[in-house]
Structures are given as structure tokens and as C-alpha cells.
Amino acid sequence: MKSHASREGAACVTALPGDDIGRRDEMIFTEEERVDRIWDKENGVQLVNRHSFYYTNDMRREELDDLWVKEPEHMATASLAYNNGYYVGMDEIARHYVADREETLYGRLEPYCQADPRIEKCRDNLGLGASQMHTSTTPLIYIADDGKTAQYQGYQIGYQSIGKADGSADSYFEFGLIYADLVKENGQWKIWHLVLEHDHTVEAGTLYEDVPVLRPDSEDPLAGDYGIPTKQQTVYNPFFGWEYVYQDMPRPYSTYTETRSYGPGGELGKPYYERDKR
């Protein structure tokens, strides 16, 4: 660790191994600025936590309205990614995240309505017989030196149980990494790029140790939730596990660049020999 000298009444960021120390030698913050950056980190983490709450409660339209970017230039380049690619632009994100999800929920409700005429096929009954939870844990977040953006990494642990009209249910535990580029709009952090990588699906009542490694040709029971992204590409392949997690995790950085982002122009999913050196 190397700590740099600072002017009176100010403190400089401490450089970490692997940082561009020459770049960070000039980063000097007053005590007030340091406090602001501490709150920026806290508010960034809480923003992703709120995503988890909205996601768990199927409040997807509300999530896009409340937590995601609103400035036109950011809306055009916003993205939501799964293992198989990126939905690009807020219109495409809403089509998949809200409209496709609603269609799925109505499809699951239909058998209940057929089995019991008293059950009305309406929005209030969406999610009947289902339960889910989505978390964001172990957060790692860095604020850019210019304070305009932030990068987040965490881990998702959750489950979903999809009930059926005959009283049975398909229940799974699910695990995966979560990445996000956050951008500040009017003084508030907003989600700009969100990546929901999926590691494993474990059927309830089975042992985790008995779950086979997901080979490239394996069928994951939750893969249908990804849909068909705008930009289809391999963002994450669970067969290789966390091969690139060290390269993908956030690090101290000066300002936003597309190559280092978690958007469709970034390096997630690329083999090491196609990546720029960090």
C-alpha cells in the first residue's frame, strides 16, 4: 500500500496494488469531498439493493421508472444483460423486462383460471401460486475519480417457486454474479447498465454437490427467462465458472470508458486475449 502526501486540510486516495499510481498521485480530496464519496458509495449500494426489492416483488415497471436512467443519452445506451446477451435501450429493456414478463405471468395464470372459474384472469391475480426472492450481497463498488459514474459488483442468491393448478410446484435456488454501471443524474445515482449473470440452478430438495457443471450444451431450467436479447453474445458461460471474475471486478478508475463498462461495448464474456490490459 502506498499513501501519498496531501495539502493541509485534505487527504489523498490510497493507491492499491495494480492501480495506475501515476494517475492517482494527483487525486486529492478535502475532508468534505471524502465524506461525499463515502455517501456516494453507500447510496450506490442501496440503489442496487432497491433493484433486488423491486425484482423480488415483480415491480418491474416501477423499477424502470424509479431506479433507471432518465436522460435521453443514457436511455439510448442503457442495457440489461443475461448470460446470452444485452437488451439495449430503455424501450428494448421495457419490452423484455416488463411486457414479456407480464405475458409469462398471464400464461402461468391461465391453468388456474381453467381449473377454477372463480379465479379471474386479471392483473391482480398475476403471480398466483408463485414465490420468489432476489438478493444482492457482498457489494464491491468504486466511484470514478470524476464522481460522475460508479461500478458495482455483487452476488445474487435467491429462489423461485412456480406453482401449478394441480398443487405441485417447480422450485429452484439460483446463484449468480451481478454487475452494474451507475451514473449520476441530477445528483442521484441511477442504473445505466445492469448485468445479471447466472451460475447455477439447484432444484429444491437436491444437494448442491450433486448439481452437474453446466456445460455449453446443457439446458438450464431458467434459461427461458433470458428471452432473446437485442445483442446476442456470450456475456457469461457458467461452464468456465469465474475464469474472468478478477478481470471483471471493479477497480479504481478515472472516468467512464465504454471498454471498461458493463454495457454491450465492454469486455464481459470476452476471452483474455481479446481484452485490453487493465
Side-chain angles (χ1 to χ4, degrees):
M1 302 287 285
K2 178 180 177 183
S3 184
H4 308 297
S6 59
R7 65 177 183 266
E8 183 178 357
C12 186
V13 170
T14 300
L16 298 174
D19 285 355
D20 182 350
I21 294 178
R23 172 180 63 81
R24 298 188 68 76
D25 273 342
E26 301 178 0
M27 288 311 303
I28 299 175
F29 300 111
T30 66
E31 293 299 323
E32 290 80 7
E33 289 170 337
R34 285 166 62 88
V35 170
D36 286 342
R37 292 177 77 83
I38 289 171
W39 276 112
D40 273 340
K41 285 194 171 186
E42 180 67 21
N43 290 330
V45 169
Q46 293 305 321
L47 175 64
V48 181
N49 288 346
R50 291 176 67 195
H51 148 74
S52 297
F53 175 84
Y54 281 72
Y55 189 96
T56 293
N57 289 280
D58 258 318
M59 299 168 61
R60 297 191 175 198
R61 168 52 65 188
E62 292 85 349
E63 177 186 335
L64 297 186
D65 289 342
D66 296 345
L67 307 186
W68 285 68
V69 290
K70 288 292 180 289
E71 294 182 4
E73 61 180 311
H74 294 148
M75 293 178 69
T77 55
S79 62
L80 170 67
Y82 301 100
N83 292 14
N84 62 338
Y86 292 84
Y87 291 90
V88 182
M90 290 304 296
D91 288 342
E92 277 293 287
I93 293 171
R95 178 187 63 77
H96 160 72
Y97 202 56
V98 179
D100 288 354
R101 175 63 174 177
E102 188 171 283
E103 182 178 345
T104 295
L105 294 178
Y106 271 114
R108 292 176 182 173
L109 177 61
E110 179 66 32
Y112 283 95
C113 298
Q114 294 178 356
D116 187 346
R118 295 172 299 177
I119 298 176
E120 184 180 356
K121 190 176 182 180
C122 63
R123 185 179 300 274
D124 288 344
N125 286 331
L126 293 182
L128 181 66
S131 176
Q132 64 182 10
M133 181 185 69
H134 179 85
T135 65
S136 299
T137 68
T138 59
L140 171 64
I141 186 169
Y142 279 104
I143 311 299
D145 293 342
D146 63 15
K148 296 179 181 179
T149 61
Q151 291 199 308
Y152 173 100
Q153 179 193 44
Y155 199 69
Q156 306 175 83
I157 303 172
Y159 74 88
Q160 62 171 287
S161 183
I162 304 169
K164 301 179 180 180
D166 63 6
S168 63
D170 293 327
S171 301
Y172 304 98
F173 295 100
E174 45 191 304
F175 308 86
L177 289 156
I178 178 171
Y179 295 95
D181 285 316
L182 312 180
V183 63
K184 193 170 279 189
E185 293 185 345
N186 297 319
Q188 300 292 321
W189 289 115
K190 296 292 184 180
I191 296 173
W192 188 10
H193 307 131
L194 183 66
V195 182
L196 304 177
E197 294 185 351
H198 182 58
D199 269 327
H200 300 124
T201 299
V202 183
E203 187 175 2
T206 62
L207 294 176
Y208 197 173
E209 64 183 18
D210 293 337
V211 176
V213 174
L214 289 176
R215 302 186 62 83
D217 58 349
S218 298
E219 183 177 349
D220 189 304
L222 300 183
D225 294 348
Y226 307 155
I228 303 175
T230 312
K231 186 177 181 182
Q232 298 178 53
Q233 65 185 75
T234 299
V235 177
Y236 178 67
N237 187 341
F239 176 66
F240 296 108
W242 290 10
E243 182 178 10
Y244 300 126
V245 69
Y246 177 75
Q247 287 82 4
D248 293 339
M249 66 174 54
R251 284 173 168 75
Y253 68 113
S254 177
T255 190
Y256 173 84
T257 60
E258 187 176 32
T259 302
R260 300 296 189 211
S261 78
Y262 297 131
E267 295 184 323
L268 287 178
K270 291 184 178 181
Y272 70 91
Y273 50 83
E274 292 183 5
R275 296 177 180 232
D276 291 338
K277 292 183 178 179
R278 276 184 176 255

